PDB file of all heavy atoms in Angstrom:
ATOM      1  N   SER A  87     -18.803  -8.807   4.871  1.00 95.00           N
ATOM      2  CA  SER A  87     -17.680  -7.856   5.248  1.00 95.00           C
ATOM      3  C   SER A  87     -16.605  -7.978   4.279  1.00 95.00           C
ATOM      4  O   SER A  87     -16.508  -9.211   3.647  1.00 95.00           O
ATOM      5  CB  SER A  87     -17.298  -8.249   6.604  1.00 95.00           C
ATOM      6  OG  SER A  87     -16.060  -7.431   6.980  1.00 95.00           O
ATOM      7  N   ALA A  88     -15.860  -6.848   4.006  1.00 96.00           N
ATOM      8  CA  ALA A  88     -14.747  -6.963   3.122  1.00 96.00           C
ATOM      9  C   ALA A  88     -13.553  -7.662   3.685  1.00 96.00           C
ATOM     10  O   ALA A  88     -12.730  -8.019   2.925  1.00 96.00           O
ATOM     11  CB  ALA A  88     -14.400  -5.379   2.851  1.00 96.00           C
ATOM     12  N   LEU A  89     -13.669  -7.924   4.995  1.00 93.00           N
ATOM     13  CA  LEU A  89     -12.519  -8.763   5.535  1.00 93.00           C
ATOM     14  C   LEU A  89     -13.078  -9.856   6.321  1.00 93.00           C
ATOM     15  O   LEU A  89     -14.130  -9.838   7.009  1.00 93.00           O
ATOM     16  CB  LEU A  89     -11.718  -7.899   6.515  1.00 93.00           C
ATOM     17  CG  LEU A  89     -10.718  -6.761   6.004  1.00 93.00           C
ATOM     18  CD1 LEU A  89     -10.067  -6.029   7.103  1.00 93.00           C
ATOM     19  CD2 LEU A  89      -9.708  -7.530   5.058  1.00 93.00           C
ATOM     20  N   LYS A  90     -12.337 -11.046   6.389  1.00 91.00           N
ATOM     21  CA  LYS A  90     -12.674 -12.137   7.150  1.00 91.00           C
ATOM     22  C   LYS A  90     -11.437 -12.711   7.729  1.00 91.00           C
ATOM     23  O   LYS A  90     -10.557 -13.056   6.857  1.00 91.00           O
ATOM     24  CB  LYS A  90     -13.430 -13.187   6.398  1.00 91.00           C
ATOM     25  CG  LYS A  90     -14.015 -14.400   7.380  1.00 91.00           C
ATOM     26  CD  LYS A  90     -14.808 -15.437   6.591  1.00 91.00           C
ATOM     27  CE  LYS A  90     -15.223 -16.467   7.465  1.00 91.00           C
ATOM     28  NZ  LYS A  90     -16.048 -17.463   6.797  1.00 91.00           N
ATOM     29  N   ASP A  91     -11.349 -12.690   9.023  1.00 87.00           N
ATOM     30  CA  ASP A  91      -9.982 -13.333   9.615  1.00 87.00           C
ATOM     31  C   ASP A  91      -8.798 -12.619   9.214  1.00 87.00           C
ATOM     32  O   ASP A  91      -7.710 -13.122   9.028  1.00 87.00           O
ATOM     33  CB  ASP A  91      -9.876 -14.768   9.376  1.00 87.00           C
ATOM     34  CG  ASP A  91     -11.130 -15.597   9.995  1.00 87.00           C
ATOM     35  OD1 ASP A  91     -11.607 -15.190  11.032  1.00 87.00           O
ATOM     36  OD2 ASP A  91     -11.410 -16.538   9.461  1.00 87.00           O
ATOM     37  N   GLY A  92      -9.003 -11.308   9.017  1.00 89.00           N
ATOM     38  CA  GLY A  92      -7.807 -10.525   8.465  1.00 89.00           C
ATOM     39  C   GLY A  92      -7.387 -10.672   6.988  1.00 89.00           C
ATOM     40  O   GLY A  92      -6.249 -10.157   6.557  1.00 89.00           O
ATOM     41  N   LYS A  93      -8.311 -11.307   6.192  1.00 91.00           N
ATOM     42  CA  LYS A  93      -8.092 -11.403   4.772  1.00 91.00           C
ATOM     43  C   LYS A  93      -9.250 -10.923   3.931  1.00 91.00           C
ATOM     44  O   LYS A  93     -10.385 -11.045   4.276  1.00 91.00           O
ATOM     45  CB  LYS A  93      -7.773 -12.880   4.460  1.00 91.00           C
ATOM     46  CG  LYS A  93      -6.550 -13.379   5.189  1.00 91.00           C
ATOM     47  CD  LYS A  93      -6.350 -14.933   4.686  1.00 91.00           C
ATOM     48  CE  LYS A  93      -5.164 -15.448   5.495  1.00 91.00           C
ATOM     49  NZ  LYS A  93      -4.690 -16.786   5.151  1.00 91.00           N
ATOM     50  N   ALA A  94      -8.953 -10.296   2.834  1.00 94.00           N
ATOM     51  CA  ALA A  94      -9.935  -9.614   2.017  1.00 94.00           C
ATOM     52  C   ALA A  94     -10.864 -10.624   1.387  1.00 94.00           C
ATOM     53  O   ALA A  94     -10.522 -11.726   0.949  1.00 94.00           O
ATOM     54  CB  ALA A  94      -9.352  -8.728   0.979  1.00 94.00           C
ATOM     55  N   THR A  95     -12.162 -10.419   1.400  1.00 96.00           N
ATOM     56  CA  THR A  95     -13.130 -11.295   0.647  1.00 96.00           C
ATOM     57  C   THR A  95     -13.470 -10.689  -0.710  1.00 96.00           C
ATOM     58  O   THR A  95     -14.140 -11.447  -1.354  1.00 96.00           O
ATOM     59  CB  THR A  95     -14.399 -11.247   1.514  1.00 96.00           C
ATOM     60  OG1 THR A  95     -15.028  -9.951   1.750  1.00 96.00           O
ATOM     61  CG2 THR A  95     -14.149 -11.837   3.070  1.00 96.00           C
ATOM     62  N   ILE A  96     -13.194  -9.540  -0.952  1.00 97.00           N
ATOM     63  CA  ILE A  96     -13.541  -8.876  -2.253  1.00 97.00           C
ATOM     64  C   ILE A  96     -12.176  -8.254  -2.801  1.00 97.00           C
ATOM     65  O   ILE A  96     -11.313  -7.810  -2.119  1.00 97.00           O
ATOM     66  CB  ILE A  96     -14.664  -7.875  -2.171  1.00 97.00           C
ATOM     67  CG1 ILE A  96     -14.431  -6.875  -1.310  1.00 97.00           C
ATOM     68  CG2 ILE A  96     -15.960  -8.649  -1.861  1.00 97.00           C
ATOM     69  CD1 ILE A  96     -15.342  -5.714  -1.126  1.00 97.00           C
TER      70      ILE A  96
END
Side-chain angles (χ1 to χ4, degrees):
S87 172
L89 287 177
K90 183 177 181 180
D91 300 328
K93 297 182 179 180
T95 61
I96 57 176

